[in-house]
Amino acid sequence: MEILKNINAPSDLRALGRAELPQLADELRAFVLESVSKTGGHLSSNLGTVELTIALHYAFETPEDRLVWDVGHQTYPHKILTGRRDQMDRLRQHGGMSGFPRRSESEYDTFGTAHSSTSISAALGMAVAARNQGSSRHSIAVIGDGAMSAGMAFEAMNNAGVTDDIRLLVILNDNDMSISPAVGGLNRYLARLMSGKFYATAKEAGKQVLKSFPPVFELAKKFEEHAKGMVVPGTLFEEFGFNYIGPIDGHDLDSLIPTLLNLKQLSGPQFLHVVTKKGQGYKLAEADPVLYHGPTKFDPTVGYTAAAASKPNYTKIFGDWLCDMAALDSRLIGITPAMREGSGLVRFEQEYPDRYFDVGIAEQHAVTFAAGLACDGMKPVVAIYSTFLQRAYDQLIHDVAIQNLPVVFALDRGGLVGSDGATHHGAFDLSYLRCLPNMIVMAASEENECRQMLYTAFKHEGPAAVRYPRGTGPGVAIDPAMSELPIGRGEVRRNSSAVSGRRIAILAFGSMVPPALVAAEQFDASVANMRFVKPLDHELVARLARTHDALVTIEENVIAGGAGSGCLESLAAQRIEIPVLQLGLPDTFIDHGDPALLLKECGLDAVSIAAAIRARFPEFTRGAIHVQSAA
């Protein structure tokens, strides 16, 4: 930490001599490893961007020059170098620093990111703003090879390539391939040559001369394309209107810095291809970058070992169901937008490789691809996080729902997910799904119900979504047999023993059923596991309303437009008047933190649910027993 301890802003970094930068890189990498091992977080990606981060802040005048990190899970070195070193011990902790760039956190976080493939669009907007304001500042987008698979990245490049007089640099951080022999002295020389003023000036002058002789100009143009194509994979990016440079070694500061300094002198859209290695400098992460992608706390001298769960989590329950269902029906096709491990499709890919499709970070394509499969008799299952299905909402409506196609959406991470924060919470899906005609929406309250709901969705001849939370459930045994649930029918899980008067019924959805049952013990309340958000069990809603004095709806989704709103609509349509308390996520973006703590803050643990009911209906709850702990 001899050098790093004195770096409190990029200006301190730029005051260093070039010879000191390799030691700074070693210290920064060691600090990232030490910090993440204590807090958990993204590791492999951050170890891979140490030199690139140093080079960017060294070559450019940040924050005046705008630096946009795609996704942003690789920005820990950036955060450390921009004055947040002392906050790393609270990384992704409740009340601590975000694991992603956040505009409110630092002037160096010029654009908030966490979902992929937004950086080029944002940086282009900043570059155009600079041009129109008469500013010479640069805009730099750093995007990974995975994020480049999304259509949005290419839409932005298509726009940028025809936008004149801008200072835009797109850096492709290619970390999915090893550094080949071609990324060595020759490529370093070519990168420096092609990014230099002499090459750019000579190229432009040659164009002007040869334009007087069109046949010769076209021949020279084709020769240049083929010559560069033999040593660099840049033809595609140049077709978009970018000047392509690279690939160069993303861990070689003697290559990175001169190339970036040369690119600063050029105008127009520039594209730099750098090759980095995930987990660079930590052998265990280099050997298994997937395992070290997002580890929890671990001892770096021993290595990370994922703790064995005492019971299967919902993701595994889905993965096992998918394989079981595939064995029964050859029409089943499994689709994931680049989340094989996260969505539980590893076993399915191994057992059914011809029926497994990872479409890359392309949620829009995933949904319409599924629609096309469904049109011709297949039964596609799209395994997708709640927060990522938001990115394909038009396709969900236009390509699936309107055509009433039998596509199953296995909606993982419904509700609060923890340390990734507002960008990853599944807070809106019940609202944005239940408003769609033809859509069936189910919310699982426990493990076996989740399995049966997935089977029900698969057997349904129309679009259906099964929503389940992150992590484990209450521990209900799973029945290997599968049976269809009656669509649009909930179940009463607890009946109040009161004969009449002061009776409360709780209408709980999905993950809120277990804490509702605990809270209900205080007031001898009835509890319904509603199961279906759409179609709602209107008969059950009416029956509970007519036999109770007050209703409470509970969901791990925003209250606005959610399942509780559906219950109110049902009561209004049936002309039933009764006091109703709606509990759910508030009308705000919820920060990162431990899920149990976040649920408590949102009033959705058993203790808070009971307190809210007592406060809203004091006349019904006098003398109630207080819940002492959440469940």
Side-chain angles (χ1 to χ4, degrees):
M1 292 275 293
E2 287 303 311
I3 299 178
L4 183 59
K5 68 181 181 182
N6 295 315
I7 304 298
N8 298 306
S11 56
D12 298 326
L13 167 64
R14 291 190 282 269
L16 297 176
R18 290 268 290 276
E20 298 176 276
L21 298 184
Q23 182 182 339
L24 174 61
D26 292 340
E27 293 180 11
L28 182 55
R29 180 168 281 111
F31 187 74
V32 168
L33 176 58
E34 178 187 8
S35 298
V36 176
S37 71
K38 293 177 180 177
T39 63
H42 294 100
L43 183 61
S44 297
S45 54
N46 283 286
L47 294 178
T49 57
V50 168
E51 288 83 4
L52 177 59
T53 304
I54 291 173
L56 284 167
H57 283 295
Y58 193 85
F60 290 93
E61 296 294 325
T62 55
E64 174 62 19
D65 288 327
R66 310 301 199 231
L67 184 54
V68 182
W69 297 90
D70 210 282
V71 182
H73 64 307
Q74 77 285 54
T75 55
Y76 300 175
H78 162 79
K79 288 174 179 278
I80 294 166
L81 294 176
T82 54
R84 288 169 278 180
R85 184 178 65 249
D86 61 351
Q87 298 179 48
M88 286 294 290
D89 62 346
R90 296 287 297 155
L91 179 72
R92 290 159 46 98
Q93 309 298 306
H94 189 256
M97 184 168 62
S98 171
F100 299 98
R102 178 177 290 185
R103 281 169 53 83
S104 61
E105 190 177 288
S106 171
E107 63 178 334
Y108 293 93
D109 292 358
T110 61
F111 195 78
T113 54
H115 288 188
S116 82
S117 315
T118 62
S119 62
I120 303 176
S121 297
L124 173 60
M126 294 173 181
V128 170
R131 183 196 65 184
N132 290 1
Q133 293 164 0
S135 171
S136 60
R137 67 175 179 265
H138 297 263
S139 299
I140 306 103
V142 182
I143 184 169
D145 51 308
M148 280 299 299
S149 67
M152 185 175 178
F154 288 94
E155 290 172 14
M157 290 187 64
N158 188 53
N159 187 189
V162 294
T163 306
D164 297 328
D165 302 325
I166 56 172
R167 293 181 176 272
L168 173 67
L169 170 60
V170 175
I171 298 177
L172 172 61
N173 177 29
D174 184 348
N175 57 21
D176 199 36
M177 57 179 280
S178 60
I179 298 176
S180 64
V183 184
L186 175 60
N187 270 59
R188 181 190 297 182
Y189 169 76
L190 287 171
R192 295 180 67 173
L193 173 65
M194 290 188 292
S195 64
K197 274 189 170 180
F198 175 79
Y199 175 83
T201 303
K203 180 178 177 181
E204 189 59 33
K207 280 184 180 180
Q208 297 306 318
V209 172
L210 292 175
K211 277 182 178 178
S212 302
F213 308 94
V216 181
F217 174 67
E218 289 301 318
L219 180 63
K221 184 178 176 182
K222 290 182 181 297
F223 175 79
E224 180 193 35
E225 289 176 355
H226 286 292
K228 290 182 71 174
M230 287 189 289
V231 292
V232 293
T235 305
L236 170 65
F237 302 110
E238 295 221 335
E239 289 296 330
F240 276 103
F242 281 75
N243 178 42
Y244 174 90
I245 310 297
I248 64 174
D249 186 344
H251 301 297
D252 182 0
L253 288 165
D254 289 333
S255 179
L256 281 169
I257 292 174
T259 301
L260 290 172
L261 290 172
N262 280 338
L263 287 169
K264 279 183 69 175
Q265 309 306 313
L266 304 180
S267 61
Q270 307 294 320
F271 192 100
L272 175 62
H273 182 175
V274 303
V275 178
T276 61
K277 188 171 187 178
K278 291 180 180 178
Q280 173 73 9
Y282 184 50
K283 296 301 182 183
L284 295 173
E286 289 181 16
D288 194 345
V290 173
L291 177 65
Y292 287 87
H293 171 72
T296 53
K297 300 177 184 179
F298 69 101
D299 182 348
T301 62
V302 176
Y304 175 69
T305 302
S310 59
K311 51 189 176 181
N313 60 28
Y314 280 103
T315 300
K316 185 178 187 307
I317 290 164
F318 162 73
D320 290 343
W321 169 83
L322 191 67
C323 292
D324 293 346
M325 195 69 240
L328 297 175
D329 195 324
S330 61
R331 298 174 299 163
L332 187 149
I333 301 291
I335 303 168
T336 175
M339 295 301 293
R340 181 189 63 175
E341 289 82 10
S343 291
L345 275 76
V346 174
R347 178 185 157 204
F348 180 79
E349 181 195 19
Q350 294 168 348
E351 295 184 10
Y352 300 96
D354 293 339
R355 294 156 67 182
Y356 165 81
F357 291 89
D358 182 346
V359 301
I361 304 177
E363 293 86 357
Q364 293 172 292
H365 165 61
V367 173
T368 304
F369 172 50
L373 286 164
C375 281
D376 275 3
M378 307 306 284
K379 295 282 285 189
V381 178
V382 180
I384 191 167
Y385 291 7
S386 166
T387 185
F388 296 145
L389 184 57
Q390 295 164 182
R391 295 162 60 90
Y393 195 55
D394 180 63
Q395 288 68 32
L396 186 63
I397 298 172
H398 182 272
D399 300 334
V400 175
I402 287 178
Q403 302 186 93
N404 199 26
L405 293 172
V407 178
V408 175
F409 295 93
L411 214 57
D412 203 342
R413 271 67 166 178
L416 302 179
V417 298
S419 54
D420 282 339
T423 55
H424 282 65
H425 292 319
F428 310 106
D429 53 80
L430 299 186
S431 298
Y432 71 67
L433 287 174
R434 81 171 193 88
C435 64
L436 301 183
N438 295 330
M439 182 66 69
I440 302 292
V441 185
M442 292 171 267
S445 66
E446 37 92 339
E447 297 89 336
N448 186 57
E449 186 172 68
C450 182
R451 179 177 172 88
Q452 307 311 324
M453 283 181 171
L454 288 164
Y455 181 75
T456 303
F458 188 82
K459 299 295 286 185
H460 176 64
E461 290 301 322
V466 178
R467 186 218 214 206
Y468 45 93
R470 183 178 188 177
T472 57
V476 174
I478 298 171
D479 186 353
M482 292 182 282
S483 59
E484 291 184 66
L485 300 174
I487 291 178
R489 288 290 178 265
E491 61 170 1
V492 176
R493 292 285 298 275
R494 187 187 192 281
N495 274 303
S496 171
S497 60
V499 178
S500 63
R502 297 188 175 183
R503 300 182 71 199
I504 296 174
I506 302 174
L507 285 60
F509 293 84
S511 60
M512 291 292 98
V513 172
L517 287 167
V518 175
E521 294 294 328
Q522 282 201 46
F523 320 114
D524 188 25
S526 298
V527 177
N529 170 20
M530 296 303 294
R531 284 184 168 168
F532 288 82
V533 177
K534 186 174 185 177
L536 190 67
D537 191 338
H538 300 287
E539 181 182 334
L540 179 57
V541 172
R543 174 157 53 89
L544 291 172
R546 290 181 175 124
T547 55
H548 294 76
D549 300 287
L551 298 182
V552 179
T553 67
I554 311 178
E555 61 194 297
E556 196 174 344
N557 183 84
V558 291
I559 293 174
S565 295
C567 293
L568 292 179
E569 293 163 12
S570 178
L571 291 168
Q574 298 182 76
R575 299 185 179 182
I576 299 173
E577 294 186 15
I578 185 173
V580 179
L581 169 63
Q582 286 182 267
L583 299 177
L585 300 180
D587 186 23
T588 185
F589 290 108
I590 300 164
D591 220 337
H592 52 274
D594 178 75
L597 178 58
L598 296 179
L599 284 170
K600 181 178 180 180
E601 287 198 343
C602 293
L604 295 180
D605 66 316
V607 174
S608 303
I609 290 169
I613 294 174
R614 187 181 300 107
R616 176 65 175 82
F617 303 116
E619 68 275 22
F620 299 161
T621 57
R622 290 191 184 97
I625 300 170
H626 285 237
V627 174
Q628 298 300 316
S629 60

